[in-house]
Amino acid sequence: MKVAVTALSALALLVLSSGQSLYAAEQPQSGGSLTWGVETEPNTLNPQLNGQSKAELILRVAYESLLARKADGAYIPWLASGYSLSADGKTYTFTLRNDVKFSNGEPFNAHAVAENFRHAQDPAYCAGSSICALAGRIDSIDTPDEYTLRIKLKQVYSPFLSFAAGLKLISPSSWTSPQLKAGGTDIAGTGPFILKRYEKGQQIEYIRNPDYHWASANAGHQGPAYLESLTYRFLPESSVRSGALLSGQVDVIEGISGNDAGEFKNNADFTYQHALNPGTPYSLFLNVKYGPTQELKVRQALLQGLDITPILQSIYRGERTRVWGITSPVDPLYDPSLSGKYGNNPTLANQLLDEAGWKNKGADGIRSKDGQPLSIEIIQAQATVRDQRDVLLQALQAQARQRMGIELKIRYVDSGTYSEVRNNGKFGSIANSNTDTDGIDIENHYLPINAGGAINYSRTDAPEILPLLQGAAQTQDNTERKAFYSQLQNFAVWQQALAIPLYEPEDQIAAASYVHGVGFRPFKQMPENAYDVWLSKH
């Protein structure tokens, strides 16, 4: 639906004292189509292999999971009606609903779900994805009957339920489809919408699944989605997305820059919402195995010398949140002890560099040692260049040169090159963030690769880390887990400068006032899918 807000319609949008339009008093209506302008195009439409946080919005309308989460993180039924954990903490048993089917008509049962977990164990399918590392902890998968799935782990691993409950499930025929890795219309899910068409670089279209009646226990309604159809248009530039919404070319947008937020805040023609993401903050992870960042004092100099807060204020106009640790402020495992403890100390940074032997400065102001410039290459995957991160990296680049005589070279790479660079380890830093919860993302970033680490951009294998991660993984007590992660945070950031946390990503949603039901997932705080969205007019 593409409807510009006219002067006449604006008269109908009188704001109530609650700040909601008169339309909010109406009952949800079925019908109509919605166009949503989005920042990021998925690098694959396979919901299991896509690691882009921004693609969650697009893929979750068609692909669902065993359990949903409440705001406090508690698990509630979805495709599974319940679950149990054995006394020894190793065996998870899921009881499945018996009234679900995939959108292509294939039955949803224990055998179909088991195949999803078996393929997640296969490196030929998921190499390079964190699901391989997580599924690698599985010892056996059994289906005692048609609607019971039992997964036994090799050893206790408390974050496993988060992975098992959240894996997006695809139909049995998907495994033999030539579209498996790329995703597409052949890869069926159980969601309220069905993928109809994908136009690369342009948009992706979905249509309503008329048979859908198994929404999660905390959904806004039951039965089919309200919308008849749904289109996500790929609009990488924030100003273009904002302009498209203001002019009525789209009905909703996400990913709103600090400069553009004012267009929608306190504007009766639109609604505006924002929420912090969970998981790992957008950070510079520093490679301890290659180039100048092998030296602890170089890493510590960067950590101490950069002054990140005013950069964020300048770029985002106060609309982003500075972070200091290894996880999001909204994560139950968050530890604020490092807040304000480091940074904006160029005197200390330069002292550390002098002590490390990087004393000589050339005409360009860059330090050198043994004839080699103090140059650090930052790798940024093109697929995750969003939210003005390119501007942020340029500002850090300028500050590192001016304050410390460090050259930061920023290199944007495609997905193939990104994978190659990660594998060969020839980089100074990788800039990234992730949204996995329950300690999974912490482990992904800090578990040594030789111990099964899935990401580990710093390539650390410090012996102090493994006992902390193992301790956290082997207890179901979140207070104990938080204590282990707090020790890890102190070691990884304060002592070793394995990462320089920058800011916590967030999602923003602006919508025309005739659009209702848009919002955020209660636990992960990422944009919810369009199942509960309805239109006042269409």
Side-chain angles (χ1 to χ4, degrees), residues 463-486:
E464 294 88 346
I465 289 179
L466 193 55
L468 298 175
L469 290 173
Q470 289 175 335
Q474 291 169 6
T475 177
Q476 299 289 339
D477 186 317
N478 267 352
T479 300
E480 292 181 6
R481 297 181 69 213
K482 183 176 179 178
F484 280 115
Y485 290 134
S486 295

Side-chain angles (χ1 to χ4, degrees), residues 511-532:
S513 55
Y514 55 78
V515 179
H516 308 275
V518 293
F520 297 94
R521 294 159 65 178
F523 182 62
K524 277 202 169 185
Q525 298 194 174
M526 297 161 64
E528 185 55 277
N529 71 50
Y531 171 64
D532 285 323

Side-chain angles (χ1 to χ4, degrees), residues 191-519:
F193 291 90
I194 302 169
L195 177 60
K196 177 184 178 182
R197 182 181 299 109
Y198 170 49
E199 299 176 44
K200 188 173 178 61
Q202 299 297 318
Q203 61 189 26
I204 184 169
E205 301 176 29
Y206 291 93
I207 56 173
R208 181 165 55 194
N209 181 350
D211 299 324
Y212 187 80
H213 62 270
W214 45 82
S216 64
N218 60 346
H221 78 289
Q222 295 293 316
Y226 296 123
L227 298 169
E228 292 177 2
S229 61
L230 172 65
T231 298
Y232 294 102
R233 286 183 56 193
F234 309 131
L235 303 173
E237 295 296 327
S238 175
S239 59
V240 173
R241 288 192 302 279
S242 295
L245 178 58
L246 290 166
S247 64
Q249 298 175 58
V250 301
D251 307 299
V252 189
I253 59 173
E254 58 82 33
I256 301 159
S257 74
N259 289 332
D260 293 339
E263 296 280 2
F264 307 107
K265 286 184 172 183
N266 304 314
N267 184 335
D269 292 337
F270 303 96
T271 59
Y272 177 84
Q273 306 172 62
H274 66 103
L276 289 180
N277 292 161
T280 300
Y282 184 63
S283 308
L284 297 181
F285 293 92
L286 305 178
N287 190 347
V288 302
K289 301 290 188 183
Y290 183 80
T293 52
Q294 293 178 88
E295 299 181 51
L296 174 59
K297 289 187 176 182
V298 170
R299 302 197 303 272
Q300 290 175 329
L302 278 170
L303 183 75
Q304 295 289 358
L306 293 172
D307 188 14
I308 295 163
T309 300
I311 291 178
L312 297 179
Q313 178 65 35
S314 174
I315 296 172
Y316 299 108
R317 302 295 191 265
E319 297 290 335
R320 298 296 181 270
T321 301
R322 171 80 164 98
V323 287
W324 306 84
I326 61 175
T327 194
S328 168
V330 300
D331 196 302
L333 301 170
Y334 172 66
D335 171 19
S337 64
L338 292 185
S339 296
K341 193 173 180 178
Y342 60 83
N344 191 25
N345 193 341
T347 301
L348 175 58
N350 282 286
Q351 177 185 328
L352 288 165
L353 294 173
D354 286 342
E355 291 172 359
W358 297 92
K359 296 182 178 181
N360 300 321
K361 281 192 177 182
D364 58 0
I366 300 300
R367 290 174 177 263
S368 65
K369 180 170 69 173
D370 300 328
Q372 297 298 315
L374 182 45
S375 180
I376 300 168
E377 184 178 60
I378 298 175
I379 300 296
Q380 170 67 67
Q382 195 68 49
T384 55
V385 177
R386 58 181 177 86
D387 197 24
Q388 297 177 279
R389 290 178 174 179
D390 52 343
V391 181
L392 172 57
L393 292 178
Q394 289 168 10
L396 294 174
Q397 181 184 52
Q399 199 179 81
R401 175 185 288 268
Q402 293 165 3
R403 287 185 154 216
M404 294 169 280
I406 297 176
E407 179 184 41
L408 299 181
K409 290 184 175 180
I410 305 167
R411 181 183 174 197
Y412 300 95
V413 297
D414 59 28
S415 57
T417 305
Y418 185 65
S419 178
E420 179 185 343
V421 169
R422 281 183 56 188
N423 289 335
N424 66 31
K426 295 181 179 180
F427 60 88
S429 172
I430 285 180
N432 202 10
S433 63
N434 292 83
T435 57
D436 284 330
T437 53
D438 303 284
I440 289 177
D441 214 38
I442 296 173
E443 183 169 282
N444 282 343
H445 282 87
Y446 295 101
L447 184 66
I449 294 172
N450 58 16
I455 298 178
N456 197 339
Y457 294 130
S458 70
R459 303 183 76 82
T460 182
D461 54 10
E464 294 88 346
I465 289 179
L466 193 55
L468 298 175
L469 290 173
Q470 289 175 335
Q474 291 169 6
T475 177
Q476 299 289 339
D477 186 317
N478 267 352
T479 300
E480 292 181 6
R481 297 181 69 213
K482 183 176 179 178
F484 280 115
Y485 290 134
S486 295
Q487 292 179 63
L488 173 63
Q489 173 176 272
N490 186 69
F491 177 80
V493 177
W494 178 246
Q495 296 181 34
Q496 294 294 309
L498 302 178
I500 303 175
L502 301 174
Y503 78 99
E504 185 56 46
E506 65 172 55
D507 282 292
Q508 312 86 26
I509 302 172
S513 55
Y514 55 78
V515 179
H516 308 275
V518 293

Side-chain angles (χ1 to χ4, degrees), residues 76-88:
I76 56 176
W78 196 355
L79 300 182
S81 57
Y83 78 97
S84 62
L85 177 61
S86 63
D88 66 1

Side-chain angles (χ1 to χ4, degrees), residues 67-81:
L67 301 172
R69 309 287 292 271
K70 296 197 300 182
D72 63 0
Y75 294 89
I76 56 176
W78 196 355
L79 300 182
S81 57

